[in-house]
Amino acid sequence: QVARGWVRDNQGQRDASLAAYDQALRIDPANFFAWYGKVRVLRHGRHYQAALAVLAEARQRFPGERVFTDELGSIHYEQADYRAAEQAFRQSISLQPDAVVAYANLNAVLLRQNRGDEALGVLQQGLQIRPSAKLYANLGNALFLKADYLGAAQAFEHAVSPTRGAPGDYLNWANLADTLLWIPGREQAA
């Protein structure tokens, strides 16, 4: 039922997805993945109040699981409550400091609040804990917007690196190529 719910959510069939998650929770009320999936499908459908209600119960059942705190932050972010989103993502980092998603999300929230230098610091903090294609890509984008093309190119090179990034992610390659076009003498490499 959980797998069915996940597939239906990805297909945009929110009602069928919710029905599958509800069935999964009837079978096993302690199923972590069913709680997580139900919150996600409600958020995807922009049913924020219902998502918050389910999330409150899920967080009570699984107090140490950062994914529920990430979902809370995402709900606040999608409603433009950036201060509440910031608090949730900071709490997520405290729950699991080596999970890169919260650093990327906190970076986005800080950028929305025009706190660019602090946002860059969050990316660098996350990268000190664990290399991540997502964090390197965010860093590359941030440096590119500041016209630091050399720094951006280096970040994107890390994002496509087999040891630090995700070499199969075409978007990071495209960003690297675009950045190299802005650096004199690197056009051929682009």
Side-chain angles (χ1 to χ4, degrees):
Q1 292 302 317
V2 170
R4 178 172 290 149
W6 197 270
V7 168
R8 295 294 182 246
D9 185 23
N10 286 326
Q11 292 173 333
Q13 299 175 20
R14 307 282 186 250
D15 291 339
S17 179
L18 276 175
Y21 288 127
D22 285 339
Q23 178 64 21
L25 289 169
R26 278 191 292 278
I27 295 168
D28 180 5
N31 187 308
F32 167 85
F33 295 104
W35 285 103
Y36 177 51
K38 186 170 181 176
V39 169
R40 284 187 69 234
V41 75
L42 289 167
R43 180 175 61 82
H44 291 163
R46 293 184 164 71
H47 300 291
Y48 297 122
Q49 291 308 314
L52 288 171
V54 172
L55 195 52
E57 188 171 348
R59 290 181 76 201
Q60 191 171 19
R61 286 177 177 268
F62 308 98
E65 292 291 343
R66 67 143 187 96
V67 295
F68 295 114
T69 307
D70 287 336
E71 284 296 317
L72 178 63
S74 295
I75 289 168
H76 290 309
Y77 182 85
E78 290 175 14
Q79 296 180 94
D81 185 351
Y82 301 127
R83 295 228 182 259
E86 177 184 347
Q87 285 180 321
F89 294 135
R90 287 188 187 282
Q91 183 182 8
S92 177
I93 289 170
S94 72
L95 286 171
Q96 189 177 349
D98 66 337
V100 298
V101 171
Y103 292 97
N105 289 339
L106 180 57
N107 167 261
V109 135
L110 293 171
L111 288 173
R112 288 287 183 163
Q113 296 177 78
N114 296 317
R115 293 161 58 191
D117 290 339
E118 194 176 346
L120 277 174
V122 165
L123 290 176
Q124 292 165 340
Q125 178 188 357
L127 286 167
Q128 288 175 355
I129 292 171
R130 188 165 85 185
S132 159
K134 184 176 189 73
L135 295 181
Y136 279 122
N138 285 9
L139 179 61
N141 286 323
L143 294 174
F144 186 91
L145 291 174
K146 289 180 154 229
D148 179 356
Y149 303 121
L150 292 173
Q154 184 178 31
F156 288 129
E157 286 170 351
H158 287 306
V160 299
S161 159
T163 57
R164 296 176 171 232
D169 187 339
Y170 72 91
L171 186 56
N172 289 336
W173 285 103
N175 286 335
L176 174 58
D178 187 38
T179 303
L180 291 174
L181 289 173
W182 288 83
I183 302 171
R186 299 292 307 271
E187 298 86 359
Q188 192 63 31

